[in-house]
Amino acid sequence: MTALAPPAMGLRRGPGYWWHSYRMMVRWELTSLRLLLPVTVMVQILTGAGFVLCLGLFFGQVPPRAALFVSTGVIVVTLVTIGLVLGPQLIAQQKAQQTYDFLWSLPVPRTTAALAWVTTNLIFGLPGMAVALVVALLRYDLDLHVSPAIVPAVLLTLFTGTMIGYAVAHALGNPMLIAAVTQLLIFMVIGFSPINFPADQLPGWLAALHRWLPLAPMADTVRAGLTAGVVEDVTRSYLVLGAWGAASVGVTAAVLGRRG
Amino acid sequence: MTALAPTALRRGAGYWLVGYRAMLRFDLASSRDWLLTFLIVQVLMGAGMALIYGFYLGDMPSAAATFVATGAPTLATMPLGMALLPGLIAVRKIDDTYDFMWSLPVPRTATAASSFTIFTLLGLPGFAVSLAIAGWRYDLDLRVSLWIVPAVLLASLMSTSVGFGVGHAVPDPTITNVITNFLVFLVLLFSPIAFPIENFPGWLATIHRVLPFWHMANVIRDALTDGLVDFVWRSYLVLGAWTVGTWLLAAWAIRRQR
């Protein structure tokens, strides 16, 4: 009766098993998105470079401060749009096509699935980010001071953005609602957050609100890693951003745990 | 043998009008599903973009603020015809109801005329709301002239006609979506609607003198302000040419499918 023998439990835990599952899930994500990958990267590059270039059309003569803000802000936009917009829509699609439950039935730890998605977002986001920065350097005379702080800033921004999208997508049941929320989010990111422009150009109440939302801290931490003397009190930004990251992990864990 | 309907009824101006009225009712009834979406999209694109451009620009002199605010109604009008209408046609192709629409016993020109009427008129509330919000935000002193009526109607009809032409001429609905998304991107970031065309590099300005977006903004801005627009008749002519040109495109596309 070997057919009924339970699987060897020893294999299915521990760092080795986790690492193996993580690699499998990264491959899974990249393979299932292989058709979407080139299109998405192209869109990212076009919008990233587009934002940098269109500022010259908004102003006749672009002020250096505006150029610096949009050039550093657009990096944040390319980093978070996939996690905040594409991610939730993919999950909405899985819910609509009823493959959602299948994905969570895969024999891997759920943390590996989440981290594999963050990794995939990094792979999706980096080309657009790099091209936007190069275009900005070619187009404007930027005063950039790149410091090692850019690495934790980019990683924390990407992680938090992705996990917020993840939490929204898992917590909301209705695919149409997810689509509407993500559309509003992208509108908010591009137009109503102090990412591509300084906070003092927003109305006072909105700027005050953004001190407690994750978007402005994302821009502040990334900008602090690329410039000198532009961002004040970056520690606070890291704390706010970290709190949002932890909260969205908590929401996702609670929702997935309840399902499980 | 009364079963055969008398064919004499199925032609002539009277029959066309009956068909047109029936299609208007059909389109209005089906618009219940997307009317609210339309208004939201219009206000977001019109008033929302006017606010957003203001945030990017920071402190603006009042001339620049007038420019941005008078671009808002154009931004509100454009997506209705150029993005949502081809989107609806694409949905009909995906849902396989597209052929049904053309099988209705009305003249095809009546169906088309009904689309033009509905979409031109549905754009008006979003147009007004966007202008009101932008005017309030930038505290504008607008001089609205009677030219606003032909300007809005022509701008709206033109963008509906372009959307109608694209929606019918492009066979694959996925490609329609790519085209309309690209159009919206182009219009929001790279069009002289909320910004003077003098800011644009020469080659891009030349392209925009042929494309309809700048001319839409021109006729509407001319009806709202004094002295900001020169040679507005040229913009009316270009918009008229785009309207007629895309009607011909749609006629060719619809005939080909028969």
Side-chain angles (χ1 to χ4, degrees):
Chain A
M1 293 291 282
T2 47
L4 287 176
M9 295 301 288
L11 273 179
R12 306 198 58 170
R13 58 178 64 224
Y17 175 64
W18 191 94
W19 178 241
H20 176 72
S21 305
Y22 168 74
R23 287 205 344 247
M24 297 296 282
M25 283 314 289
V26 171
R27 270 178 59 191
W28 173 277
E29 293 283 6
L30 289 179
T31 313
S32 56
L33 295 174
R34 68 192 181 283
L35 295 177
L36 213 54
L37 183 72
V39 181
T40 312
V41 170
M42 276 305 295
V43 170
Q44 291 273 85
I45 288 175
L46 277 179
T47 43
F51 268 107
V52 170
L53 294 178
C54 76
L55 200 73
L57 309 176
F58 290 9
F59 294 94
Q61 277 286 326
V62 184
R65 188 163 182 253
L68 189 67
F69 264 82
V70 85
S71 307
T72 48
V74 98
I75 291 174
V76 177
V77 175
T78 46
L79 277 178
V80 299
T81 39
I82 293 184
L84 282 181
V85 181
L86 184 68
Q89 287 180 2
L90 288 175
I91 294 175
Q93 215 173 41
Q94 290 165 8
K95 287 185 176 175
Q97 293 171 350
Q98 309 200 318
T99 54
Y100 183 76
D101 290 325
F102 165 73
L103 281 170
W104 290 110
S105 74
L106 291 176
V108 292
R110 293 186 170 183
T111 45
T112 61
L115 276 180
W117 175 235
V118 175
T119 313
T120 310
N121 274 343
L122 187 67
I123 296 168
F124 270 53
L126 280 181
M129 172 182 151
V131 171
L133 199 58
V134 169
V135 171
L137 283 170
L138 292 175
R139 173 70 174 79
Y140 304 111
D141 190 16
L142 293 179
D143 185 24
L144 290 188
H145 298 266
V146 183
S147 77
I150 187 64
V151 177
V154 162
L155 292 180
L156 186 60
T157 297
L158 180 89
F159 178 79
T160 308
T162 308
M163 289 319 290
I164 291 172
Y166 218 57
V168 167
H170 287 296
L172 299 180
N174 183 345
M176 291 292 287
L177 186 62
I178 295 175
V181 168
T182 54
Q183 295 295 335
L184 274 181
L185 269 178
I186 188 68
F187 210 68
M188 181 97 179
V189 167
I190 290 169
F192 294 91
S193 321
I195 295 178
N196 283 343
F197 48 81
D200 54 35
Q201 288 173 203
L202 283 175
W205 63 269
L206 192 52
L209 180 66
H210 271 297
R211 284 176 58 79
W212 298 101
L213 295 179
L215 297 171
M218 288 174 178
D220 284 343
T221 50
V222 169
R223 197 166 284 128
L226 290 172
T227 59
V230 177
V231 184
E232 292 161 9
D233 199 9
V234 71
T235 318
R236 184 184 181 282
S237 299
Y238 271 105
L239 289 177
V240 174
L241 195 53
W244 274 93
S248 31
V249 169
V251 170
T252 310
V255 173
L256 292 181
R258 190 185 63 209
R259 295 175 41 83
Chain B
M1 290 299 281
T2 49
L4 280 179
T7 45
L9 269 179
R10 305 196 61 171
R11 58 176 64 223
Y15 175 66
W16 192 92
L17 268 181
V18 170
Y20 173 67
R21 286 221 311 269
M23 283 313 293
L24 274 183
R25 278 178 50 195
F26 183 94
D27 281 343
L28 262 184
S30 54
S31 76
R32 274 176 317 195
D33 294 341
W34 29 259
L35 206 54
L36 184 66
T37 319
F38 274 26
L39 192 67
I40 294 173
V41 168
Q42 280 201 288
V43 172
L44 284 181
M45 287 279 282
M49 287 312 295
L51 300 186
I52 289 173
Y53 288 140
F55 296 150
Y56 275 80
L57 289 168
D59 270 338
M60 282 185 284
S62 78
T66 308
F67 229 91
V68 170
T70 50
T74 308
L75 291 167
T77 306
M78 173 272 173
L80 199 63
M82 292 202 196
L84 294 175
L85 173 58
L88 283 177
I89 297 172
V91 167
R92 283 189 179 152
K93 288 187 178 172
I94 292 171
D95 291 349
D96 284 336
T97 54
Y98 182 78
D99 291 328
F100 166 72
M101 289 296 302
W102 290 122
S103 74
L104 292 175
V106 290
R108 292 186 170 188
T109 47
T111 307
S114 158
S115 284
F116 293 142
T117 313
I118 298 278
F119 274 79
T120 304
L121 296 181
L122 287 185
L124 298 182
F127 179 96
V129 172
S130 297
L131 183 61
I133 295 179
W136 163 78
R137 167 84 171 95
Y138 295 110
D139 198 15
L140 288 190
D141 176 25
L142 297 178
R143 284 159 224 274
V144 183
S145 75
L146 274 182
W147 278 99
I148 193 70
V149 178
V152 173
L153 290 182
L154 181 59
S156 191
L157 177 64
M158 189 282 303
S159 90
T160 305
S161 305
V162 171
F164 191 84
V166 169
H168 287 293
V170 178
D172 184 349
T174 331
I175 295 178
T176 309
N177 281 336
V178 173
I179 292 177
T180 55
N181 281 322
F182 183 73
L183 262 182
V184 171
F185 175 73
L186 187 80
V187 164
L188 292 186
L189 296 188
F190 296 102
S191 293
I193 291 176
F195 310 101
I197 199 167
E198 288 78 30
N199 287 358
F200 284 58
W203 61 272
L204 192 53
T206 309
I207 294 176
H208 273 299
R209 284 174 209 280
V210 181
L211 293 177
F213 313 114
W214 179 59
H215 297 287
M216 266 176 99
N218 265 353
V219 296
I220 289 173
R221 183 167 290 124
D222 178 69
L224 295 173
T225 58
D226 271 344
L228 274 181
V229 182
D230 297 326
F231 303 115
V232 71
W233 54 268
R234 211 171 46 190
S235 295
Y236 276 103
L237 283 182
V238 174
L239 292 183
W242 273 92
T243 308
V244 176
T246 43
W247 283 355
L248 295 177
L249 173 71
W252 168 78
I254 292 166
R255 178 162 305 176
R256 189 190 53 180
Q257 277 154 3
R258 189 150 42 173

